[in-house]
Amino acid sequence: MRPRDGPGGDPGREDERVIGAIAAELRDAGPAAVPGRLCAVALELLPVDGASVSLRGDGMPVQLAASGPRAARLAQLQATLGDGPCRHVLEVGVPVLVRDLAAAGCADRWPVFAQQAIVAGVRAVYALPLGSDAVCVGTLDLYRGTPGGLTDGQLRVARLLAGVMTAALMDLPYDLPGGDEPWLSGLAADHDRVHQAVGMIMAQLGIGADEALARLRADAFAHDRTALEVALDVVSHRRRFDTP
């Protein structure tokens, strides 16, 4: 179901249809499944090929879910580079809608991310803030393999999805009953590995956290990998930074 535009469209009825689709997708979903389910419904409601959701983190965003491997890698790529539409949204708190990553302005603004995203088959990115007008707590990132923008109706749906995503994340309990693993700690396990690796690099080189994270990102970039991939090697003792 894709939103309809035009003079015959009724925004109120379209909102009801969209909310119904979201409710159906979330029915019987456990807390940890909510972000992934909302990424999946984004692909049904909008002309996009991928979706990911990340929360603002200490140093790097925390990727909570993605619709597939390509969307997950693009989110990790932005975290690794510390740049891209997602990172810009976290800074400014307003949507960043990129119609064509191959356009000159994008190549100048995000040269490495734009080039690598195009190689991965992505030409358009629509990043929306999660949170309120005062505080941006994360982003919903939508990816598309062909250039082009969103219509007014499609942007309305994207904003509605971001609003539902924000409400869902804010309402989810951190501590689950019955002694189960907290939902966020399970979703953010990869982010914890990055922090663990940063701590190990700090100990190996005798440097501060910011420089250790910068070294991790630089190593990932130099070897065409993500920061998470390098972090996993550090944590598993396959990679040290104090040896050649």
Side-chain angles (χ1 to χ4, degrees):
M1 180 193 70
R2 298 281 168 83
R4 295 190 297 267
D5 287 315
D10 182 339
R13 294 188 63 182
E14 287 300 321
D15 284 357
E16 291 179 5
R17 287 161 56 85
V18 170
I19 291 171
I22 294 171
E25 185 67 33
L26 295 184
R27 189 172 296 122
D28 301 323
V34 169
R37 293 281 190 93
L38 288 172
C39 285
V41 79
L43 271 61
E44 298 177 11
L45 295 173
L46 295 166
V48 297
D49 306 311
S52 64
V53 57
S54 301
L55 288 182
R56 182 189 295 274
D58 181 15
M60 291 180 64
V62 183
Q63 181 183 315
L64 298 186
S67 60
R70 182 167 64 174
R73 184 165 186 83
L74 285 165
Q76 286 291 337
L77 176 62
Q78 294 187 78
T80 298
L81 297 173
D83 202 4
C86 164
R87 296 288 294 177
H88 191 66
V89 168
L90 290 175
E91 294 173 4
V92 300
V94 297
V96 175
L97 310 176
V98 182
R99 296 175 56 90
D100 189 358
L101 286 168
C106 292
D108 294 339
R109 191 176 190 182
W110 306 298
V112 180
F113 171 75
Q115 188 271 334
Q116 294 197 24
I118 291 170
V119 169
V122 171
R123 288 290 296 273
V125 180
Y126 319 114
L128 293 94
L130 304 178
S132 65
D133 291 339
V135 180
C136 176
V137 299
T139 63
L140 170 64
D141 302 305
L142 306 170
Y143 309 99
R144 180 165 144 180
T146 56
L150 297 176
T151 66
D152 289 344
Q154 291 161 352
L155 181 57
R156 182 183 179 89
V157 171
R159 289 179 181 274
L160 182 58
L161 275 169
V164 173
M165 184 80 76
T166 298
L169 293 175
M170 296 303 101
D171 287 345
L172 288 174
Y174 181 79
D175 294 314
L176 297 178
D180 292 338
E181 182 183 31
W183 73 273
L184 183 55
S185 67
L187 290 171
D190 289 343
H191 190 261
D192 293 340
R193 298 293 185 274
V194 172
H195 275 285
Q196 185 179 354
V198 167
M200 293 173 68
I201 296 170
M202 291 170 63
Q204 291 169 11
L205 300 180
I207 58 178
D210 289 346
E211 185 177 350
L213 178 58
R215 295 282 189 100
L216 177 68
R217 281 174 158 158
D219 188 84
F221 176 74
H223 296 92
D224 194 24
R225 308 181 73 199
T226 67
L228 174 59
E229 289 170 339
V230 176
L232 292 174
D233 279 352
V234 173
V235 171
S236 61
H237 303 286
R238 293 191 298 267
R239 171 77 172 92
R240 292 185 64 91
F241 278 69
D242 56 352
T243 57

